[in-house]
Structures are given as structure tokens and as C-alpha cells.
Amino acid sequence: MVTSGGRVRELFVHPVKGLSAQPLAQVALRPGEGIPHDRVFALARPDGRYHAGTREGLPKQEFFALVSDHRLSGVDARFDAGTEVLVARVAGHEVLKADLGTDEGVGEAMRFFARLLDLPAGMVPVLAREPGRRFTDATAAGDRPMNWISMINLSSVRDLESRTGATVDPKRFRANVLVDGLPAWSEVDLIGEEFGLDGVRVRAVRQTRRCAATEVGPGTGRRDLPVVSLLQRTYGHQFMGIYLEVLTAGVVRTGGEVVV
């Protein structure tokens, strides 16, 4: 039986790992590939394992990210893939405009993030960028997981809210796709199954285990909610959301139907 499972409510891309999400009205997907421009940059630790030309997946600990560096969430960042210009605002004020396609722009951006992160004198992040690669958390599991996209069922988030009394912004989970209209936690039953995402065929491949990055409030620069502990106490696990593998080409739009 084919039934409607709900709607795509929001779409997001995160060009720089750890920085703010950028909303999308629609996104063109291709088989075996992730959201275009998603996590194509990362702020690598200068004393870590990343170096230019690295082709292996590295764990999140090798980068400055929300799991350890909550100040990053206080920056409203926008990256223009056409011009490669990164604009950062804090409290509504523009504090950075840098062309990441030039050495000068990269240097300017890295010095800004060094100040933001309060790094020791002389220490600046390294801009990680490798053609054809993404710095998603799943990358450490291999090249195929690197291109999975992440989905959150808003009903599951509301269930967590109702059981705990907490207000949980779905953007804490930094997903690419937010869907509504599915029963709470029904996404777990989709693991291993194929379904339609606004006409694009996808396969649910794995639940998403959550980490301390979800404790950071979007746009606040503060840790303000123990999401991982709430999940563990409420459900006996630390999962929220699932990963999807794209099987067919097509365009996914906000408002598009989810069919299972």
C-alpha cells in the first residue's frame, strides 16, 4: 500500500561544519550524493590530523564544532556558493565578509574564528576543504555515509517536548530535512526501507545518535538544554532522526509530499 506520510516542512544546508544552517526553498538531489554544498568546509584544529589533501574521514574531534565549541552558534553565517563569499553576523551586525576562494579571504576568516574561539596567540583554525568530500559526522564511517542526508521527524521532537516539558528547537539537530505529518518515532520503522521524498526515492539507512552539540541553543552561543540526557532518561537511548541515502535524481521542495 502506498500512503502519504506527511510533508517536507523545511530544508537546510550547512556549508561550514559547526556554523549556522541556511534555509532552502528547494534542493536538487542526485543518486549517492548529499545536499549540494553541505559541510564542504570545516574549521580544522591546527594541531590535529587534518592536512591539505586528506582523503580519509576524520572524527568531529579533529575540528572546531558545536560539540566542543559552543561560541560558534552565536554567529549567523551565510555562504554564497556562486561567489564563495562567507558573511558572518553577530547580534545582527556584519563582522566578517571574506572570499574563501582566495588566500587573503581564508586568512581573514580564520583570524576571525581564532578570536571568536579565544584561541591562544598564534593559533588559528585551518580551513578544511577537499574537492568531492564532506565533513559530516558520518564521514568517519566511510565515503558512502559521507553523502547521506539527515532527516528529523517533527512529531518525534514534539513527543520529546511533551514527555519532558522542555522546549526543543528542531534546529538543534542540524538536519537537512524536517518532515511533519508522520507519527512520532515512525521514522525508526523505515530503517532499511525505501520511500519517496517529494518524488525523490531515498532509503533510510541508520538512526542518528546525538551528541553534546545538541545542547547548544541555535543562535545563542550557549549550552542551555541537556538534550542527550533528556533522550536517555525518556526513551533509554540517544537517537533522534535518521540518515537517508539518495537513490534517484530529482528536486525536493518545501511542502513536498513524503510517501511511504
Side-chain angles (χ1 to χ4, degrees):
M1 177 183 294
V2 178
T3 60
S4 171
R7 296 283 175 179
V8 175
R9 289 304 177 204
E10 294 186 88
L11 296 166
F12 295 100
V13 62
H14 308 77
V16 184
K17 183 180 182 68
L19 296 188
S20 55
Q22 296 181 203
L24 300 171
Q26 63 182 41
V27 61
L29 298 177
R30 298 175 60 182
E33 298 184 10
I35 300 286
H37 312 298
D38 193 57
R39 275 90 168 187
V40 293
F41 296 100
L43 305 175
R45 298 184 180 276
D47 54 353
R49 293 163 52 192
Y50 173 80
H51 57 82
T54 297
R55 305 299 292 177
E56 64 175 312
L58 297 174
K60 67 184 75 177
Q61 291 78 12
E62 297 296 324
F63 306 97
F64 295 102
L66 292 182
V67 66
S68 55
D69 306 286
H70 57 273
R71 293 185 183 184
L72 291 174
S73 79
V75 177
D76 178 19
R78 291 291 180 268
F79 176 71
D80 186 321
T83 63
E84 298 209 328
V85 170
L86 177 70
V87 175
R89 295 180 173 85
V90 174
H93 301 286
E94 185 175 301
V95 292
L96 173 72
K97 186 174 185 179
D99 184 349
L100 300 187
T102 67
D103 291 341
E104 295 80 1
V106 170
E108 181 182 0
M110 295 306 99
R111 289 189 294 273
F112 165 77
F113 286 111
R115 295 191 298 272
L116 177 75
L117 295 165
D118 198 22
L119 299 183
M123 178 180 287
V124 296
V126 175
L127 184 67
R129 180 182 193 180
E130 298 296 329
R133 300 196 65 79
R134 302 174 187 275
F135 299 96
T136 63
D137 288 347
T139 300
D143 288 356
R144 182 178 168 189
M146 173 181 73
N147 285 304
W148 291 344
I149 64 178
S150 53
M151 186 187 90
I152 286 289
N153 178 3
L154 293 175
S155 295
S156 298
V157 178
R158 287 193 291 268
D159 185 71
L160 176 62
E161 289 183 315
S162 67
R163 291 173 183 268
T164 62
T167 299
V168 183
D169 187 337
K171 295 184 181 66
R172 287 180 181 271
F173 303 104
R174 300 180 60 75
N176 299 122
V177 184
L178 304 186
V179 301
D180 209 355
L182 297 173
W185 299 103
S186 62
E187 68 274 20
V188 178
D189 298 328
L190 292 174
I191 301 299
E193 302 294 331
E194 297 180 14
F195 64 98
L197 196 65
D198 195 18
V200 174
R201 204 71 184 164
V202 297
R203 179 186 294 113
V205 288
R206 183 187 297 175
Q207 287 183 265
T208 309
R209 182 182 294 277
R210 292 303 166 179
C211 68
T214 58
E215 297 176 354
V216 182
T220 69
R222 301 189 304 272
R223 294 188 185 279
D224 55 11
L225 189 66
V227 173
V228 177
S229 296
L230 291 177
L231 288 169
Q232 185 65 49
R233 291 200 305 266
T234 306
Y235 304 108
H237 63 69
Q238 298 174 5
F239 297 103
M240 178 63 80
I242 59 177
Y243 285 117
L244 309 176
E245 182 176 26
V246 179
L247 303 178
T248 63
V251 177
V252 177
R253 303 169 179 83
T254 55
E257 191 175 22
V258 179
V259 178
V260 291

